[in-house]
């Protein structure tokens, strides 16, 4: 059993049953391994949660980087694209929420996600043609992710595509006045 498969099993336990159900025994059972097999990779529940949070951050950072071409405003466009890839892509939508839920009970466990949020949202406003619009769009995307985490079937594919297009359009520079 790979470390990644164990993290997947932990996320599934969290998503299906909530943070109170996240035990090493439940994760081992979900993964189809012995508790000892799980302990080989994660000595404690805290280590498991820390790995889930770290993986969530690393994956989102990688997605942003894959879309960010370094041009003015590209970071916020990349943030939108990365978020919509997760929201409309394979069944990973719950991963981030699961990790945050598990970490929320312990401020020490939540700190890596808090730091990532400060980094993602604390960018230099001068990097965007319209810094206020960029902040509004990033916050809107965060809100959408939060809503979809709780109500995954609320928006269909067409609605999400329309929201994505509208958010990206908000980032386009206003036409010059003549």
């Amino acid at each position: 059993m790979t470390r990644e498969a164990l993290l997947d099993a932990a996320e599934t336990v969290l998503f299906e049953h909530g943070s109170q159900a996240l035990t090493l025994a439940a994760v081992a059972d979900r993964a189809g391994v012995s508790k000892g097999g799980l302990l080989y990779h994660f000595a404690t529940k805290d280590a498991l949660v820390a790995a889930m949070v770290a993986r969530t951050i690393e994956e989102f950072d990688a997605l942003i980087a894959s879309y960010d071409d370094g041009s003015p405003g590209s970071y916020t466009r990349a943030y939108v694209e990365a978020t919509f890839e997760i929201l409309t892509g394979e069944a990973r939508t719950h991963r981030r929420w699961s990790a945050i839920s598990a970490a929320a009970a312990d401020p020490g466990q939540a700190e890596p996600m808090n730091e990532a949020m400060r980094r993602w949202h604390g960018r230099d406003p001068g990097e965007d043609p319209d810094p206020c619009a960029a902040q509004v769009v990033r916050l809107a995307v965060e809100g959408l992710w939060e809503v979809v985490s709780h109500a995954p079937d609320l928006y269909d594919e067409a609605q999400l595509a329309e929201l994505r297009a509208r958010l990206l359009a908000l980032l386009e520079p206003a036409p010059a006045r003549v």
Side-chain angles (χ1 to χ4, degrees):
M1 175 73 36
T2 69
R3 189 174 194 277
E4 294 300 308
L6 293 169
L7 292 172
D8 289 343
E11 290 164 356
T12 300
V13 168
L14 278 168
F15 183 68
E16 292 177 354
H17 306 290
S19 58
Q20 73 284 354
L22 183 67
T23 65
L24 294 178
V27 173
D29 184 55
R30 178 66 186 202
V33 300
S34 68
K35 190 172 174 185
L38 175 65
L39 291 172
Y40 174 79
H41 294 281
F42 303 104
T44 65
K45 179 180 168 182
D46 284 346
L48 177 65
V49 170
M52 290 169 50
V53 171
R55 180 168 81 164
T56 299
I57 293 167
E58 290 165 11
E59 285 184 352
F60 195 60
D61 281 341
L63 276 173
I64 292 171
S66 75
Y67 287 106
D68 189 350
D69 65 11
S71 64
S74 70
Y75 175 81
T76 299
R77 288 189 305 276
Y79 195 92
V80 171
E81 295 289 8
T83 300
F84 276 87
E85 183 172 325
I86 289 172
L87 294 178
T88 61
E90 60 190 73
R92 297 184 298 169
T93 305
H94 66 276
R95 178 172 292 165
R96 180 168 172 228
W97 178 250
S98 297
I100 292 169
S101 295
D106 177 355
Q109 288 281 20
E111 185 50 36
M113 188 61 76
N114 295 343
E115 162 53 34
M117 285 293 183
R118 284 189 292 275
R119 184 169 39 80
W120 294 331
H121 291 279
R123 309 249 332 158
D124 177 3
E127 294 178 7
D128 287 289
D130 183 341
C132 187
Q135 287 178 317
V136 167
V137 166
R138 285 196 305 267
L139 290 170
V141 169
E142 278 304 317
L144 179 62
W145 199 337
E146 178 78 8
V147 169
V148 171
S149 294
H150 293 283
D153 299 327
L154 185 61
Y155 300 106
D156 64 25
E157 190 175 318
Q159 289 170 311
L160 287 172
E162 186 177 345
L163 287 168
R164 178 187 158 276
R166 178 62 178 219
L167 288 165
L168 289 170
L170 292 171
L171 298 172
E172 295 301 317
R177 292 188 169 159
V178 184

